[in-house]
Each structure stands twice: as C-alpha cells, then as structure tokens.
Amino acid sequence: MPNDKTASKHSRQLLFSEAIAQPKAMMAQTASQGHTSPPVDQPALDATDRILQEIASVGRRLEAMDLKITDLTLASSSIRADIAGFRETANNLDQRLSVVEDHIATTPDQEEELKSLRAKLTELEDRSRRDNVRFFGIPEQKEGSDIKTFLSSLLTNHFGIEFSPPPEFQRVHRIGPSHKASANKPRPIIACFLLHEQARQVISTAKARQPKSLDGHEIRVAADFSRLTNDRRRAFLALRLQLRSLDIKYGLFEPALYTKSSLGKSYRQLRHTKD
C-alpha cells in the first residue's frame, strides 16, 4: 500500500510539472525555429497563469491529503493493536473469573452449614437484646432532659407497674436521627434494663394493659428483636388477623407462632407462614 501511494503521488507531480512546463517549451520551440511570435494577448496570459497557479494549489492540497491519509493509516494500525490487546486481557479476566467462581461455588452441605450459622447468629443477637424494651408513640421532647426518670415515672404511674426494687436502666435513648422525627410519627424509645426480670415484667404487664394514650398519642410496648426475627414476625401479621377473625387463640413467641383452638383441644406450631 505505501508503494502504491508513493507512485500515485509521483505521477501527479509529473503531470503538474508537465502542465506547467508545456507552454514554456512551446514558446522556446517557436523561438528556435525563427518564427516571429504574434502579438501577445495579455489577458490570455493572465488567465493561463491563474490556471497554472490553481493547478499548483491543487497539487499541494493533494500532497497534504496524502500525508493525512498516511497518518490515519498509522493510527488505525495502532488502534487495531490496542483492540487486540484488550481482547486478550478480557479473555484472561474471563478465565480468572471462572476459576474464582469454581472456588466459591457452594455445595449443598456448605449451604446447610451457612444456614445453621446464620440461625445461630440471629439467636445470639436476639439473646443480646432480651433486656431491651421498645416504646412507640411517646411524643418528641416529652421526656425532657432526663429520659430515664421520665420512663420510670411513665411505667409506674401511667402503666401502674409496681417494681421492687425500682427500675434501673443501663441506657435509654430514642432510635433514629432527630431531623426525621415528626409530631405524627415520633421516634421510638429503646430502654435497656439492668435486670432482665424487670424487662420481662414491663413487656408482659404493659401488653396486658395496652393500649395506653399520652397527650392523645397511643403508646405501645414491644420486645426488641434482630431485623431477621422482626421480619419473620411481621410476616405473620395477615395470619394473626385471620385467626382473630375466626376467634382462634394464638400466641406469637420468639419467633414461632403457636395457634390454639378456642376449645383448647389442638394446637400447631409454625415457624414460617408457608407452614
């Protein structure tokens, strides 16, 4: 290809040279034969000069185009080489990915082990939350500057729970950032009791005496569970409503659902809604 382009370029240069030199040669031949030149037509000579100049300009443009075509050819070759390199890299990565997938592919035994470990972790998290109690519906800023004293008074005076000794807390705080709180949906309060028995007492007594209202807000009390356990318990909501409509007694435990007939003759334990 480069040889063909060079030959073409030389051919065009020869044509331009001949086109420019031909009028001069004719004039020289006429002078050598002793002929007397006719009067020169100046406008015709000017037109001839302009044509020759245009031809020379076209030649220069073609030479510039030849250079650009050569540059484009070199750039195209470089791009092809880069694409070939990218393809090779992609093939290598694909092979490595296949090797990694083969290594991390889990067998049925490994999946069962992972499921067992996940269940154990969930159980450990739930056990670590056994001393926690969540309070929903308490208006924002109602607790003032001492949230522990406020909660102790609420449980004793509002819910009528008798403690012996008085309730003690490891920590009490609201859950979530304050800028997301609103008057219609206050942030829940979570309390970690120092004594596990007091936490169980609050949950059992408060549930039996719910709902309670405070400044027009309904207050609810609930145990604290891990996210996985909360999701499993929430999945039973539709079933609980159905059992309630059928007047079937039920109990929701941690996290299994026990249903019991109103006559007390049969019961069934469910761990998933699909059961």
Side-chain angles (χ1 to χ4, degrees), residues 41-220:
D41 188 356
Q42 188 63 36
L45 289 177
D46 293 340
T48 302
D49 290 340
R50 285 196 298 272
I51 292 173
L52 294 176
Q53 291 175 1
E54 290 293 335
I55 292 174
S57 176
V58 170
R60 288 192 296 271
R61 293 176 185 174
L62 290 175
E63 290 178 359
M65 291 178 63
D66 285 338
L67 293 175
K68 291 182 179 179
I69 291 173
T70 302
D71 293 339
L72 289 174
T73 302
L74 294 175
S76 177
S77 301
S78 177
I79 291 173
R80 290 194 187 97
D82 291 341
I83 292 175
F86 291 151
R87 287 176 178 171
E88 184 178 359
T89 302
N91 291 333
N92 292 335
L93 290 176
D94 187 50
Q95 293 175 0
R96 293 181 182 179
L97 181 60
S98 299
V99 173
V100 172
E101 288 177 346
D102 293 339
H103 280 296
I104 65 175
T106 57
T107 63
D109 293 339
Q110 290 174 328
E111 290 181 358
E112 192 65 28
E113 184 178 0
L114 287 175
K115 187 183 297 184
S116 175
L117 290 174
R118 190 178 293 111
K120 289 181 179 179
L121 287 175
T122 302
E123 182 181 1
L124 287 174
E125 184 178 356
D126 288 334
R127 287 182 178 275
S128 69
R129 295 170 178 259
R130 292 177 62 191
D131 299 335
N132 296 347
V133 180
R134 294 191 178 217
F135 298 85
F136 300 90
I138 298 177
E140 291 282 337
Q141 307 300 328
K142 187 67 177 178
E143 64 274 17
S145 59
D146 191 348
I147 191 171
K148 291 184 178 180
T149 301
F150 164 78
L151 192 60
S152 178
S153 175
L154 179 73
L155 293 173
T156 303
N157 301 325
H158 202 71
F159 283 93
I161 302 176
E162 297 180 358
F163 294 97
S164 180
E168 296 184 45
F169 307 98
Q170 295 185 38
R171 56 189 176 275
V172 182
H173 61 86
R174 288 191 182 267
I175 302 174
S178 58
H179 68 271
K180 291 187 177 181
S182 64
N184 296 328
K185 191 176 181 180
R187 293 172 297 162
I189 293 177
I190 184 169
C192 180
F193 284 79
L194 187 62
L195 299 177
H196 174 69
E197 293 77 10
Q198 290 184 343
R200 296 298 96 186
Q201 181 184 2
V202 169
I203 292 174
S204 59
T205 306
K207 279 189 174 182
R209 299 176 183 179
Q210 288 184 136
K212 289 285 186 177
S213 61
L214 180 66
D215 295 344
H217 292 77
E218 182 179 312
I219 302 176
R220 294 182 296 106

Side-chain angles (χ1 to χ4, degrees), residues 118-129 223-237 240 252-257 271-272:
R118 190 178 293 111
K120 289 181 179 179
L121 287 175
T122 302
E123 182 181 1
L124 287 174
E125 184 178 356
D126 288 334
R127 287 182 178 275
S128 69
R129 295 170 178 259
D224 185 37
F225 297 104
S226 64
R227 176 176 296 182
L228 180 60
T229 301
N230 275 327
D231 291 341
R232 292 178 62 183
R233 292 169 67 89
R234 194 178 297 113
F236 286 114
L237 179 59
R240 291 164 61 188
L252 188 59
F253 296 90
E254 304 177 7
L257 175 71
R271 291 192 176 275
H272 300 280

